[in-house]
Amino acid sequence: MHAAARKLNRELTTVDEGTVVDVKDGVFTVRVGDFDCSARRAKSCLVAPAPGDVVLCSFGPQGRCFVLAVLEGAEGETKTRLEVEGDLDVVVGSGKLGLRGAKGVSVASGDELSLVGRALSVSALEGKLFVQKLAYLGDRLKAEVEAIKTVGATRESIFERVSERVKRSFRTVEDIDQLKANKVDYAAETTLAMRAEHAVLHAEELIKVDGKQIQLG
């Protein structure tokens, strides 16, 4: 009777409930009573219908049929999927936009993921960052941590001035430790000890050794 009524009233738009029985290439086969129809998803229907879902459909002129909304998911299905074709913009004219998940929030992009704002705040008990190439551009970088451990193949740093203040410093170099500078100044308050199997000290003009006691040998 529903099918006959829709065939006779082609200029009349009706709304009815149905069950999705099949999805293929964006076309939904919806069963309304004993009548099966092919329907497309309305643009306002953001929830992607799946087989077994109870949906609300509209039947309009020229045999057009649209799925307006998903009323109820398939039995035992607890997952809801929002899906659109093309670009999607979520705009909040005033106020804030919040995304919250009791068990997690995941954001993924097949191409570019961009975050733009006046301020960025990230808070977590644990964090992991995997980036193949990372570029940082900024005026200042301040970090307060309890321990830092880095492992890498090479490191290059270019600074105009470097200042470090540490309580104890230990460094182990397995091969070559080379320093090139215009002037080198080492100052020790108590003891300066240098040991080697072979030691060579060379100067173009002057070598000066000054002390209350000088012991050689």
Side-chain angles (χ1 to χ4, degrees), residues 38-207:
S38 297
R40 290 182 298 163
R41 183 157 57 106
K43 190 172 184 178
S44 60
C45 182
L46 300 182
V47 178
D53 290 350
V54 178
V55 296
L56 183 66
C57 297
S58 69
F59 302 88
Q62 283 115 25
R64 300 203 311 168
C65 179
F66 289 95
V67 176
L68 302 180
V70 177
L71 304 179
E72 189 177 31
E75 184 176 357
E77 182 61 53
T78 59
K79 183 177 181 180
T80 301
R81 177 173 176 173
L82 301 181
E83 183 179 297
V84 299
E85 295 294 335
D87 296 338
L88 173 65
D89 289 334
V90 179
V91 180
V92 179
S94 61
K96 296 182 179 181
L97 173 64
L99 296 176
R100 297 176 178 86
K103 296 184 178 180
V105 176
S106 177
V107 179
S109 173
D111 190 0
E112 180 183 357
L113 181 62
S114 177
L115 297 176
V116 179
R118 185 187 62 82
L120 175 64
S121 177
V122 179
S123 300
L125 295 178
E126 296 183 4
K128 294 181 180 180
L129 177 64
F130 299 95
V131 180
Q132 188 172 2
K133 293 182 179 180
L134 177 64
Y136 170 79
L137 300 176
D139 294 333
R140 294 184 179 182
L141 175 62
K142 181 180 180 181
E144 296 181 5
V145 296
E146 184 176 349
I148 297 177
K149 181 179 180 181
T150 57
V151 179
T154 59
R155 187 187 74 174
E156 295 184 5
S157 301
I158 301 176
F159 294 98
E160 183 176 346
R161 182 173 62 89
V162 176
S163 299
E164 290 183 338
R165 183 183 295 272
V166 299
K167 189 173 182 179
R168 289 178 295 272
S169 177
F170 302 94
R171 189 174 67 171
T172 300
V173 180
E174 294 183 357
D175 195 352
I176 299 176
D177 188 9
Q178 186 180 67
L179 171 65
K180 292 183 178 181
N182 186 22
K183 294 181 180 181
V184 178
D185 184 5
Y186 289 104
E189 292 183 358
T190 56
T191 303
L192 175 63
M194 303 179 68
R195 301 179 181 88
E197 182 179 356
H198 304 284
V200 177
L201 182 61
H202 175 74
E204 294 290 339
E205 296 183 2
L206 176 65
I207 294 179

